[in-house]
Amino acid sequence: MRIRNLTALGASAALVFSVAGCAGGGAGSGDGGGDEAPEDMSVGVAMPTQTYERWLKDGDNIGSGLEELGYDVELQYADDDIPTQSQQIDQMITQGVDALIVGAIDGSALSAQLDAAESADIPVISYDRLLTDNENVDFYVTFDNYQVGVNQANALLYGLGILDQDFEPAEDAPEGPLNVELFAGSLDDSNSHHFWDGAIDTLQPYIDDGTLEVPSGQTDIEQAATQRWEQETAQKRMENLLTTHYNSGEELDGVLAPADPLSRGIITALRSDGQGDTIEDGLPIVTGQDAEIASVKLIADGVQHSTIFKDTRDLADQAVEAADTYLQGGEPEPNDTETYDNGAKVVPSYLLDVQMVLEDNYEEILVESGYYTEEQVDSGQM
């Protein structure tokens, strides 16, 4: 059974999820007091890959923000190669950068670099992906990643007609069982586990009462994981699931996908299998994350059901403010000091809000805010 006629969402359903206890001044609310001028200091920025659109935006936004304050910036992308990222950070430390902002490929793979940074009195800001298993992580800026997973699950439930536009139980909800499959991110990215926990905690009651079924039985994160968040890997797994579990007329109703590249790979597999070109034509509900322009076009065209927007402009601002505060002799103010235990310490963190994007609200959230133009959405390209 598929629910295809989605009730229109008004502006009130844009779903901005706030983090309780946010410090009013943001991460950079320390007192300051450093002796050196910004033009005499440099910041190393290590980003994981140029393959994802969002990481290009992150790097550009951080770099421009730091340069506007007067800092020299050493920005490097590691193309998802751990030894390359390790070498890049080693070089930054050797060159004498005054602070590091690190978006890790594998959060557990940089302990030697974190120790070297500590020895050189270089503050380290973990950026969106938590650096783990080492106490020499000074600050973490990210989004409420558990809530990302909750939103993805709620988007799936809404698309299936189980929840209404207010994300309450729908009066005319299908009894089920509705067939869904679950995808997770890369296991070496700590965020994948937070996304998964939020989504599964939300979906589990519906699985337990029989409203949802997972015909493949692949309900553990290890079974659902997608190494390096690769689109091709997600497409291949979806093709295998269809061949193995949906080859005798079984109907697939929805797919929990944790990121837009995975969503597009999954949609390619579904379309190739004859599942429909759009949701109206019968294509299963597919979720996403990161509001990549190609997926926003798919949402506007009624193909991909949803994505989670994490405004990386705000995230970059928080990283820049945190770095600036350290370099001016202050301490960034966290709004979370409990959630992110990296295995060696609980890292002081600043968490940002997320928004659910659907066909009925993408213009308000993404176009009116200036994140994209309507022309970019229409073309699906930057």
Side-chain angles (χ1 to χ4, degrees):
M1 182 187 302
R2 293 197 180 108
I3 307 299
R4 294 302 173 203
N5 296 319
L6 304 182
T7 304
L9 282 184
S12 62
L15 290 193
V16 181
F17 286 88
S18 297
V19 181
C22 292
S29 299
D31 293 331
D35 295 328
E36 292 186 75
E39 54 264 28
D40 297 323
M41 292 184 281
S42 63
V43 180
V45 181
M47 294 284 105
T49 181
Q50 298 182 79
T51 302
Y52 267 46
E53 173 188 306
R54 68 143 297 185
W55 289 112
L56 290 170
K57 284 179 173 286
D58 285 276
D60 289 344
N61 289 334
I62 294 170
S64 61
L66 290 167
E67 288 174 348
E68 286 175 8
L69 293 176
Y71 296 103
D72 287 333
V73 178
E74 178 66 26
L75 171 62
Q76 296 284 344
Y77 289 88
D79 296 327
D80 270 331
D81 184 69
I82 294 170
T84 296
Q85 186 165 62
S86 300
Q87 292 166 8
Q88 289 172 343
I89 296 173
D90 283 335
Q91 186 177 29
M92 292 176 188
I93 294 170
T94 300
Q95 290 174 342
V97 298
D98 297 282
L100 280 167
I101 298 172
V102 179
I105 298 167
D106 181 342
S108 66
L110 297 173
S111 276
Q113 287 70 37
L114 296 177
D115 291 342
E118 171 66 16
S119 297
D121 293 323
I122 300 171
V124 176
I125 298 161
S126 185
Y127 186 85
D128 204 32
R129 293 178 175 178
L130 184 61
L131 294 161
T132 61
D133 302 326
N134 192 294
E135 65 181 359
N136 298 318
V137 184
D138 296 285
F139 203 72
Y140 183 35
V141 293
T142 190
F143 296 90
D144 189 336
N145 294 311
Y146 181 88
Q147 197 62 245
V148 169
V150 171
N151 288 2
Q152 289 174 337
N154 280 334
L156 179 63
L157 294 168
Y158 171 63
L160 293 171
I162 296 169
L163 299 181
D164 64 18
Q165 64 179 1
D166 297 317
F167 297 89
E168 298 293 336
E171 292 184 4
D172 56 350
E175 294 183 4
L178 302 177
N179 292 331
V180 298
E181 295 296 338
L182 312 174
F183 282 70
S186 191
L187 294 178
D188 54 11
D189 181 348
S190 64
N191 287 347
S192 297
H193 302 269
H194 293 287
F195 301 151
W196 179 263
D197 289 345
I200 295 303
D201 287 351
T202 305
L203 295 177
Q204 194 64 54
Y206 299 95
I207 296 173
D208 291 342
D209 70 12
T211 302
L212 298 179
E213 286 188 357
V214 184
S216 70
Q218 296 179 11
T219 56
D220 295 329
I221 189 170
E222 290 80 7
Q223 296 170 307
T226 311
Q227 183 68 7
R228 296 283 183 270
W229 300 90
E230 290 181 350
Q231 179 171 331
E232 296 79 7
T233 302
Q235 179 177 336
K236 189 172 296 185
R237 178 168 177 254
M238 189 73 254
E239 290 168 349
N240 290 338
L241 289 171
L242 291 169
T243 299
T244 305
H245 302 284
Y246 298 88
N247 58 3
S248 300
E250 297 87 352
E251 191 169 29
L252 176 63
D253 298 289
V255 182
L256 178 78
D260 288 341
L262 277 61
S263 308
R264 295 195 296 273
I266 290 164
I267 288 169
T268 297
L270 295 172
R271 283 173 149 180
S272 297
D273 191 60
Q275 299 276 333
D277 286 332
T278 67
I279 295 171
E280 186 175 351
D281 295 332
L283 191 70
I285 299 298
V286 180
T287 65
Q289 180 182 192
D290 285 330
E292 291 195 351
I293 189 63
S295 283
V296 175
K297 176 173 173 52
L298 291 177
I299 290 170
D301 292 343
V303 178
Q304 182 172 321
H305 172 257
S306 60
T307 189
I308 304 301
F309 177 48
K310 303 186 304 185
D311 196 333
T312 56
R313 296 170 298 186
D314 295 339
L315 187 63
D317 286 346
Q318 290 298 335
V320 169
E321 289 184 24
D324 183 51
T325 301
Y326 278 124
L327 294 176
Q328 298 308 312
E331 288 283 338
E333 292 185 9
N335 63 12
D336 185 293
T337 57
E338 299 178 357
T339 303
Y340 288 94
D341 187 335
N342 78 345
K345 65 183 284 189
V346 177
V347 181
S349 305
Y350 195 90
L351 310 186
L352 291 165
D353 304 335
V354 299
Q355 294 174 281
M356 184 191 297
V357 174
L358 302 147
E359 184 177 357
D360 295 309
N361 65 14
Y362 78 87
E363 289 183 299
E364 175 191 352
I365 294 174
L366 298 174
V367 178
E368 293 178 14
S369 73
Y371 195 78
Y372 293 129
T373 66
E374 192 65 62
E375 290 75 20
Q376 289 170 331
V377 173
D378 289 342
S379 68
Q381 296 179 343
M382 295 295 294

